[in-house]
Amino acid sequence: MAALLAAAGAVFAEKGYDAATMTEIAARAGAPIGSLYQFFPTKAVLADALLAQYAGALMALLATVEARAAALSPAELAANLLAVLPSLKVERAAAFALIDARPDMVAQQGALRAGLRRGIAAILRAKSPALPPERAAAMAVTLLQMMKGAAALGDEPDLAHGREALAGLEHAAGLFLKDALG
């Protein structure tokens, strides 16, 4: 099943949802088409499973950062947060291809965004337990945008100063956290 999901992610990322075929996904996974249909009776079911897997991977990464948050400096916490989205580059590309192609995914996209914000807020509260929940929620919105910026920088293959730009973004996020968390 993992091979089928990995193949689906690669095909969706390369071709988009509409152009991807179940036959091509099965072939990419090296599996008989019947095996694919046994687990995923339709392309929509496969897409939903892939998006759920991506969301689960993101939440697991955030939980790992949360477990270490208290021991991290603001700069280290910023670097850890900004590394989350880029670490799932292929999965993110597939998720975006699915969300962009399927109007019915708007609710899932909103739920994913809300889950990310809650996860980031939990990290901030783990780092600074006295931080009011409302303040943590507001900061999570800003940090998620910074995380998206880090992912976008990583997606630009021809950006001559990509590493320098990412370092600047990490520095800004570190200062934001230092100012807010002390």
Side-chain angles (χ1 to χ4, degrees), residues 50-160:
L50 197 60
L51 194 58
Q53 181 185 42
Y54 174 63
L58 284 172
M59 296 308 138
L61 288 171
L62 290 177
T64 300
V65 175
E66 182 180 356
R68 298 187 338 248
L72 298 174
S73 71
E76 292 167 333
L77 182 56
N80 275 257
L81 284 170
L82 269 55
V84 168
L85 296 179
S87 72
L88 297 172
K89 184 175 182 172
V90 172
E91 296 89 341
R92 192 176 74 257
F96 285 150
L98 296 173
I99 289 168
D100 289 344
R102 294 180 53 204
D104 63 318
M105 287 293 217
V106 172
Q108 288 93 327
Q109 181 182 19
L112 178 60
R113 186 180 311 111
L116 287 169
R117 289 177 180 168
R118 281 191 305 274
I120 296 164
I123 290 167
L124 296 174
R125 304 269 335 266
K127 174 67 179 160
S128 180
L131 185 68
E134 304 81 26
R135 178 71 179 131
M139 290 176 64
V141 173
T142 301
L143 286 164
L144 181 55
Q145 291 306 313
M146 291 178 161
M147 291 166 66
K148 289 178 180 179
L153 285 171
D155 290 343
E156 289 194 43
D158 298 329
L159 187 61

Side-chain angles (χ1 to χ4, degrees), residues 1 4 33-42 45-46 49:
M1 194 153 124
L4 294 170
I33 190 75
S35 294
L36 179 60
Y37 281 113
Q38 177 185 358
F39 293 110
F40 308 104
T42 67
V45 170
L46 177 58

Side-chain angles (χ1 to χ4, degrees), residues 4-14 25 50 90-91 93-95:
L4 294 170
L5 285 169
V11 172
F12 286 141
E14 290 169 14
I25 291 166
L50 197 60
V90 172
E91 296 89 341

Side-chain angles (χ1 to χ4, degrees), residues 11-12 14-25 43 97 101:
V11 172
F12 286 141
E14 290 169 14
K15 296 193 168 198
Y17 177 78
D18 292 328
T21 67
M22 295 292 271
T23 302
E24 183 178 10
I25 291 166
K43 187 163 66 166

